[in-house]
Amino acid sequence: MQATLKIDRSKIIGSLKPMNAVNNGPFPARGDQKCGNFDSYSKAGFPYARTHDANLCYDYGGPHIVDITAVFPNFDADETDPASYDFTLTDIYIGNIIKSGTQVFYRLGQSIEHWEKKYGIYPPKDFAKWARICEQIILHFNEGWADGYHYGIQYWEIWNEPDLDPDDSPNKRCWGGTKAQFFDLYEIAAKYLKSRFPHLKIGGPALACSRQWAEDFLVEMHRRNVPIDFFSWHRYDKNPRRVGEVCEIFREMLDRNGYSKAESILNEWNYVRDWGDNWIYSLRSMTGLKGASFATAVMCVCQNKPLDMLMYYDARVFTGMNGLFDRLSLEPGKTYYPYFAFHKMRQSGQEIVSESDSDSIYSLAVSDGKQMQVLLTYYSDDDNTSPKELTLHFETACKSKISILLTDEKHNMECVKTVEVPKGKQVISLSLNLFDIYHIEIMPNE
């Protein structure tokens, strides 16, 4: 099978967007247990870390962090009294994210509850008070309240996946109330928090991707004149191009319902073939090379779709959906390496046109006028797809050195070939196996 990829450095598209954000932060090694990922997490340069489901991770602080019921454990307490809050472990968790160089995307609400008895997902007794509790949390992290900080956290998200289960479901996991109740909570919280912090980005509701629920939500919020600075939603899939199509669907929906200025943020996504018979297969795939190739492809696709941010789920330590770090050692996993490359490319220039004649080749290219970088992968959900020969066409501005770095089953973004090329049009031939990920650096050498 033959394919061609053409890089046109004369056609500049613009800056790379934060397609390499994640859910959850680093875990520094304890003094008695030399297992952590703080250094490698920092080097990856994740622009944002969303705090959803941190509460489910023992090593971050388990049930004592982030969620409203953890930070403010007694809802009947005085929300203006610092003694009513337990910030200790959340402060450490948020502080580690900030120290790593990553910005915080704070989810206000509750973690998902899969167990039979639920604890924190039910509608709060007083929606206005819940909003005031959120206010104090923002004051703690941004304005120093209650021996707090001045982090300048910009993104504050109201709840998570209120649409995951229908109103009549006997086993709700994220929102224990009705759709109508959630609309009321969102209206009260968003209006109040935006009035208190007009300079911050208040949004949500981190939809599980029910389009009709999203339509109903946006229509009703617009009718009630509710501000939405960003609209967050989720998508798990096996087809990167379909993820891009959903980006277009939600952008059109936002524009049509009066929220053309709202950012569209896909803040949970990963490879999933399905949630039933193929769930174990999906877990094995997302933590291996296939998951890394899928992640590379999605970043490449969504960079050129009407989407403002991608947030991979999950960088949470010791969890089965983390392809970035090994869940036993926390050493970098296969998905770590294209993220590291994407970060390097974001720092190195503007996106330029890269076009392939194959639907299974996904690519992204940047240039600063002299040097170029290309990130590409060969992805298909069919594991029996045959190898492919790729011809890469590009033009160098001067004599250059080309470094070809490969991530596959045997390599972790390692240089497998170096080529010296003269100024002018050049051609590189690559033999691609399924799920190969290449980071190609074309550097001036004069």
Side-chain angles (χ1 to χ4, degrees):
M1 299 174 64
Q2 299 286 334
T4 299
L5 176 64
K6 295 182 178 180
I7 309 298
D8 191 341
R9 57 191 296 273
S10 69
K11 296 180 179 179
I12 300 173
I13 298 174
S15 300
L16 293 190
K17 296 181 288 187
M19 300 290 101
N20 56 329
V22 297
N23 279 255
N24 288 302
F27 177 62
R30 297 191 182 100
D32 60 336
Q33 295 176 335
K34 301 300 181 182
C35 178
N37 68 351
F38 186 87
D39 290 344
S40 53
Y41 187 104
S42 300
K43 291 176 182 177
F46 305 119
Y48 289 92
R50 179 175 178 248
T51 62
H52 178 60
D53 282 349
N55 185 275
L56 302 180
C57 180
Y58 171 87
D59 294 278
Y60 292 147
H64 308 294
I65 67 168
V66 174
D67 289 1
I68 299 297
T69 54
V71 175
F72 192 79
N74 178 10
F75 195 82
D76 294 326
D78 179 359
E79 72 274 16
T80 65
D81 183 356
S84 301
Y85 294 79
D86 182 358
F87 285 118
T88 303
L89 297 182
T90 302
D91 284 353
I92 295 171
Y93 171 70
I94 297 297
N96 284 332
I97 296 175
I98 298 294
K99 290 174 186 175
S100 76
T102 295
Q103 297 182 64
V104 172
F105 186 108
Y106 201 108
R107 191 271 291 127
L108 298 163
Q110 300 298 132
S111 297
I112 193 170
E113 297 184 15
H114 288 290
W115 36 85
E116 304 239 341
K117 182 180 179 180
K118 315 300 180 182
Y119 292 85
I121 66 166
Y122 297 108
K125 291 186 290 186
D126 182 335
F127 291 175
K129 182 173 182 178
W130 189 88
R132 294 193 300 272
I133 294 166
C134 293
E135 172 193 14
Q136 301 304 125
I137 293 172
I138 295 173
L139 289 172
H140 175 74
F141 286 110
N142 279 0
E143 298 185 22
W145 181 77
D147 296 323
Y149 309 88
H150 294 84
Y151 288 145
I153 298 172
Q154 289 294 301
Y155 287 94
W156 297 88
E157 181 179 47
I158 299 172
W159 218 262
N160 175 77
E161 295 190 351
D163 63 321
L164 181 60
D165 301 300
D167 282 359
D168 59 356
S169 173
N171 188 31
K172 295 182 180 181
R173 292 162 286 177
C174 286
W175 172 250
T178 65
K179 180 166 69 171
Q181 286 176 308
F182 182 80
F183 286 2
D184 290 342
L185 173 69
Y186 192 93
E187 176 190 9
I188 291 168
K191 284 182 175 179
Y192 181 73
L193 293 177
K194 193 62 182 176
S195 70
R196 288 288 290 111
F197 308 103
H199 58 293
L200 300 181
K201 296 180 180 181
I202 311 298
L207 290 179
C209 216
S210 169
R211 296 180 194 175
Q212 186 57 58
W213 204 102
E215 185 80 43
D216 294 344
F217 172 78
L218 292 173
V219 167
E220 187 63 15
M221 293 305 103
H222 185 258
R223 186 187 72 80
R224 301 185 190 188
N225 197 31
V226 178
I228 300 177
D229 292 322
F230 64 88
F231 177 76
S232 51
W233 52 280
H234 302 161
R235 180 74 185 189
Y236 294 91
D237 212 311
K238 60 184 180 181
N239 185 336
R241 300 199 187 279
R242 189 158 55 215
V243 176
E245 292 169 1
V246 180
C247 293
E248 295 174 339
I249 289 170
F250 279 120
R251 182 71 266 168
E252 185 278 332
M253 192 183 296
L254 283 165
D255 295 347
R256 175 164 42 81
N257 285 291
Y259 291 104
S260 60
K261 294 183 179 180
E263 295 179 33
S264 177
I265 299 177
L266 171 48
N267 64 3
E268 273 194 39
W269 66 278
N270 207 325
Y271 173 87
V272 173
R273 180 173 281 183
D274 64 53
W275 298 94
D277 292 342
N278 285 298
W279 176 235
I280 299 301
Y281 173 87
S282 299
L283 284 171
R284 289 173 175 159
S285 295
M286 69 177 71
T287 55
L289 184 63
K290 182 172 185 175
S293 179
F294 177 80
T296 306
V298 170
M299 287 191 289
C300 291
V301 168
C302 290
Q303 164 63 23
N304 291 296
K305 293 296 181 179
L307 187 75
D308 295 285
M309 193 188 314
L310 267 176
M311 309 189 84
Y312 176 87
Y313 187 93
D314 198 349
R316 178 162 43 107
V317 296
F318 306 120
T319 186
M321 296 182 74
N322 185 347
L324 292 162
F325 301 98
D326 180 83
R327 64 177 178 175
L328 295 178
S329 67
L330 293 186
E331 295 173 345
K334 292 296 180 181
T335 305
Y336 177 89
Y337 297 98
Y339 268 79
F340 184 86
F342 193 97
H343 168 59
K344 189 174 183 180
M345 292 171 69
R346 282 193 79 203
Q347 297 178 309
S348 303
Q350 299 286 296
E351 183 188 5
I352 56 177
V353 168
S354 60
E355 297 177 328
S356 175
D357 58 3
S358 171
D359 285 341
S360 58
I361 299 295
Y362 298 83
S363 66
L364 200 61
V366 297
S367 173
D368 66 357
K370 291 185 177 180
Q371 69 172 4
M372 289 183 284
Q373 294 184 59
V374 182
L375 180 65
L376 68 91
T377 193
Y378 176 28
Y379 174 84
S380 169
D381 190 47
D382 181 357
D383 297 341
N384 297 313
T385 302
S386 300
K388 189 184 292 287
E389 295 296 320
L390 177 68
T391 303
L392 174 62
H393 296 264
F394 62 95
E395 182 177 359
T396 57
C398 57
K399 182 180 178 182
S400 301
K401 176 182 178 181
I402 301 178
S403 298
I404 301 174
L405 293 83
L406 172 63
T407 299
D408 62 7
E409 292 293 359
K410 297 181 179 180
H411 303 87
N412 292 323
M413 206 58 78
E414 298 167 31
C415 185
V416 294
K417 188 176 183 180
T418 301
V419 181
E420 299 279 351
V421 298
K423 177 181 178 179
K425 294 183 179 180
Q426 302 296 331
V427 176
I428 298 176
S429 295
L430 298 173
S431 295
L432 302 182
N433 291 312
L434 190 63
F435 310 137
D436 279 355
I437 305 168
Y438 280 94
H439 181 208
I440 301 171
E441 299 178 321
I442 305 168
M443 313 293 286
N445 188 27
E446 290 187 336

